[in-house]
Amino acid sequence: MPEQPGRFYVTTPIYYVNDAPHAGHAYATVTADALARWHRLLGDDVFFLTGTDEHGLKVQRSADAAGRTPQQQADVHAAHFADAWRLLDVSNDDFIRTSEARHHAAVQALLQKVYDRGYIYADDYSGLYCVACEEYYTADELDENPDADGLGLCPIHHRPVESFSERNWFFRLSEFAEPLAEHYRDHPEAVQPEGKRNETLGLIRQGLRDISISRSSIDWGVPIPWDPSQVFYVWYDALINYATAIGYGTDRTRFDAWWPNVHHVIGKDILRFHCVYWPALLMAAGEAPPAHVHVHGFLLVGGEKMSKSGLTQITPAELVDEFGVDGVRHHLLHDLSFGPDGDFSEESMIARYNADLANNLGNLLSRVATVLAKKSGGIGTAPRPDSPLAAVAGEVVAQATAAWEAVTPSVALDATWRLIREANALLEATEPWKADPGAEVDAVLGDALEVLRIVAVLASPAVPDAAQEIWRRIGCDGSVADRRVPVDTIWGAYVPGRPVLTGDPLFPRIKASGP
Ligand code: MSP
């Protein structure tokens, strides 16, 4: 099935339920949400999936430590993730939990198919395992600093690994090195940014070993249909969530409609699973590999990855308390480029919030409404067809569209904010607040209203509440989310003659919490 224009299936990683969400998780989810919202503006059919990864040793151990059953532990934390996404205005169409019956059925159907096609066999295995990663490592992949037993540490979590030895079921990953290399040669767009594609090719070139896909030592997982004494390895169960949610094993038509249009948003630490293991598994089941994987970097606090285990964890709720929902979303999307790691600090959040939201966007709205109230009776005036801002708006819409398409939200928002800055510059140059009421003042204010209308549409994927409030205050009807790009971003569509409302500052300035 080829990719179909007009359909967009976007996924986040599904989050482990060993703990509550932090801002690093919010980063991936808000990015996927903004992409979903942008594609809805384009008029695409969108399906946006997020959820929780509930099986495996890590969750089982965290449940033991909390004195809960794994299912209770999953119920508690799955609710925390769902609450966090609701708080952040995340517009997911489905929330999948891997402990659900629908997911068990899909995992069993897909892996049974792989077994029937001869890609799974039994063997003995002993190896080094990091429970935090839920991944096996070879000794040479570990960090050089040895632990007390003389073994290196996990390269991601810098914690000791454990030695495991079991009779397991193995997936013939080694048979897929060439098909994967060919796939990535033919589809350079499949992994982005380009550096991550190269990293993927490097992993494949190093050679692929068959991989253990079952566990006999735990029972918190999806039972293997042909050997119920074992459960599937959590990663092989988890990856299949992307297929479960669109009907794999139960609704072939639905699966075929969405699968060719999939866009996985993932962090760089789970590249190997999404760009090597997952496409190979799909090929083994006779399905197409994922069409697009978009790989982002980490939010760093003081140079370290923000993590559940570290002391650097900041919850979405704490951020929303200080910056509001749109303040948090805007920061994650605008301040951090998609791809590289980015520093995350309260100071940079305050600076970005005050500059972009309180000063640029908030000021433009309040100035226009205040001056209109004084000089034009509070009624919206018409933009000029030949305004100097018309050409800027045309360029900005084109740049923002290209940037959302390329999954670079910070670039899209840079473009959008250029239009806001230019409108503020026009107001400062013409100073309508000092001029006598008349055609000149009406024209400049009409131009600024038109900028606010276009910006409300363009910024709505990032700051949905603020965009709707701007839309309402400048006298536009309905929901800004129902507008369409490009038709509703063409210069000149602002309808004059309606009341423009003044109100509380959209984004009150935040003072630095100094000593
Ligand atoms: N359960 C697996 C994913 C299975 S997907 C089939 C998992 N879960 S996780 O909860 O540990 O991480 C989920 C995502 O959050 C990953 O993409 C990871 O990169 C991301 N992040 C965790 N900490 C992060 C930061 N500090 N910064 C940005 N993203 C980070 O892995």
Side-chain angles (χ1 to χ4, degrees):
M1 291 275 161
E3 191 164 353
Q4 293 163 21
R7 269 182 186 263
F8 187 72
Y9 173 30
V10 62
T11 69
T12 73
I14 50 171
Y15 302 99
Y16 286 127
V17 286
N18 60 322
D19 205 345
H22 60 64
H25 304 131
Y27 178 62
T29 305
V30 167
T31 300
D33 182 61
L35 293 173
R37 288 174 182 273
W38 176 259
H39 279 266
R40 292 190 194 111
L41 287 178
L42 294 180
D44 287 352
D45 271 342
V46 171
F47 189 66
F48 171 21
L49 177 69
T50 188
T52 41
D53 187 354
E54 307 195 342
H55 294 133
L57 196 49
K58 178 173 167 131
V59 172
Q60 183 160 331
R61 284 192 183 165
S62 75
D64 292 347
R68 300 186 178 119
T69 64
Q71 186 66 61
Q72 287 167 338
Q73 176 79 342
D75 290 348
V76 168
H77 288 305
H80 288 152
F81 279 94
D83 288 349
W85 304 155
R86 219 170 293 122
L87 177 68
L88 284 171
D89 253 350
V90 170
S91 62
N92 52 302
D93 297 295
D94 194 356
F95 187 100
I96 189 164
R97 298 184 53 188
T98 55
S99 60
E100 290 171 325
R102 61 169 172 160
H103 182 63
H104 281 224
V107 169
Q108 292 184 329
L110 195 143
L111 283 156
Q112 180 74 52
K113 185 112 182 255
V114 175
Y115 180 70
D116 293 344
R117 288 163 63 104
Y119 292 111
I120 293 179
Y121 62 95
D123 205 352
D124 292 319
Y125 194 72
S126 47
L128 304 168
Y129 197 75
C130 170
V131 178
C133 292
E134 293 277 18
E135 187 175 14
Y136 278 111
Y137 284 101
T138 56
D140 58 340
E141 287 170 332
L142 298 176
D143 246 11
E144 278 155 18
N145 288 335
D147 69 2
D149 301 327
L151 276 176
L153 302 177
C154 161
I156 307 266
H157 295 91
H158 312 294
R159 293 206 226 158
V161 292
E162 299 178 32
S163 291
F164 279 4
S165 190
E166 287 190 352
R167 183 152 185 89
N168 284 159
W169 292 98
F170 277 72
F171 171 56
R172 294 188 195 280
L173 181 64
S174 57
E175 292 197 12
F176 291 89
E178 192 39 47
L180 283 172
E182 195 182 313
H183 166 66
Y184 287 122
R185 259 196 311 274
D186 294 349
H187 297 280
E189 75 292 353
V191 180
Q192 284 165 341
E194 199 187 334
K196 299 300 176 195
R197 174 172 172 266
N198 294 336
E199 196 178 322
T200 305
L201 289 171
L203 289 173
I204 297 166
R205 248 182 256 120
Q206 274 168 24
L208 302 178
R209 279 190 302 267
D210 290 352
I211 164 169
S212 155
I213 58 156
S214 72
R215 296 288 178 270
S216 59
S217 50
I218 62 169
D219 55 9
W220 177 235
V222 181
I224 298 193
W226 62 90
D227 175 9
S229 70
Q230 302 214 15
V231 296
F232 285 113
Y233 166 41
V234 60
W235 266 102
Y236 271 67
D237 140 10
L239 288 161
I240 296 171
N241 88 86
Y242 304 129
T244 308
I246 51 167
Y248 184 86
T250 52
D251 187 344
R252 188 72 216 183
T253 311
R254 185 161 173 250
F255 180 81
D256 284 343
W258 290 109
W259 183 246
N261 308 287
V262 73
H263 291 254
H264 294 315
V265 174
I266 64 159
K268 65 180 187 179
D269 53 335
I270 55 177
L271 175 134
R272 183 199 298 254
F273 297 100
H274 284 80
C275 303
V276 179
Y277 297 175
W278 178 222
L281 186 69
L282 285 160
M283 285 176 179
E287 304 295 346
H292 302 279
V293 183
H294 305 284
V295 189
H296 63 76
F298 291 150
L299 256 60
L300 305 178
V301 177
E304 289 284 315
K305 177 189 176 205
M306 182 186 298
S307 68
K308 293 171 192 156
S309 45
L311 296 172
T312 51
Q313 178 166 178
I314 304 168
T315 68
E318 286 165 340
L319 293 175
V320 168
D321 275 351
E322 188 170 358
F323 297 96
V325 172
D326 284 340
V328 176
R329 293 178 58 105
H330 178 75
H331 183 82
L332 294 172
L333 292 164
H334 201 169
D335 213 57
L336 301 147
S337 313
F338 191 89
D341 291 347
D343 280 315
F344 186 78
S345 69
E346 194 187 13
E347 299 75 62
S348 66
M349 280 197 82
I350 293 175
R352 169 69 67 181
Y353 174 99
N354 282 338
D356 284 4
L357 299 178
N359 291 352
N360 272 309
L361 183 55
N363 264 354
L364 180 62
L365 179 68
S366 66
R367 270 172 166 177
V368 170
T370 312
V371 181
L372 263 172
K374 285 199 187 126
K375 310 273 172 176
S376 311
I379 299 298
T381 53
R384 293 171 288 186
D386 58 351
S387 163
L389 294 175
V392 180
E395 283 171 25
V396 159
V397 171
Q399 287 163 354
T401 302
W404 283 112
E405 187 64 32
V407 187
T408 50
S410 63
V411 179
L413 295 172
D414 275 344
T416 307
W417 256 257
R418 176 182 154 216
L419 184 54
I420 300 169
R421 275 196 308 275
E422 300 260 357
N424 274 320
L426 179 71
L427 291 178
E428 271 144 32
T430 51
E431 298 188 312
W433 43 87
K434 287 190 184 161
D436 292 331
E440 187 64 22
V441 168
D442 286 354
V444 168
L445 293 174
D447 289 353
L449 283 164
E450 178 60 338
V451 164
L452 283 165
R453 188 190 67 82
I454 294 173
V455 162
V457 178
L458 292 181
S460 64
V463 288
D465 287 352
Q468 182 58 37
E469 181 60 8
I470 294 168
W471 194 251
R472 190 184 73 84
R473 287 198 198 175
I474 64 173
C476 295
D477 293 329
S479 167
V480 64
D482 294 337
R483 298 297 100 203
R484 291 289 169 262
V485 174
V487 282
D488 291 318
T489 50
I490 296 169
W491 184 267
Y494 179 75
V495 180
R498 305 189 186 190
V500 171
L501 310 172
T502 51
D504 291 340
L506 209 50
F507 296 102
R509 275 186 75 80
I510 295 180
K511 287 202 188 72
S513 54

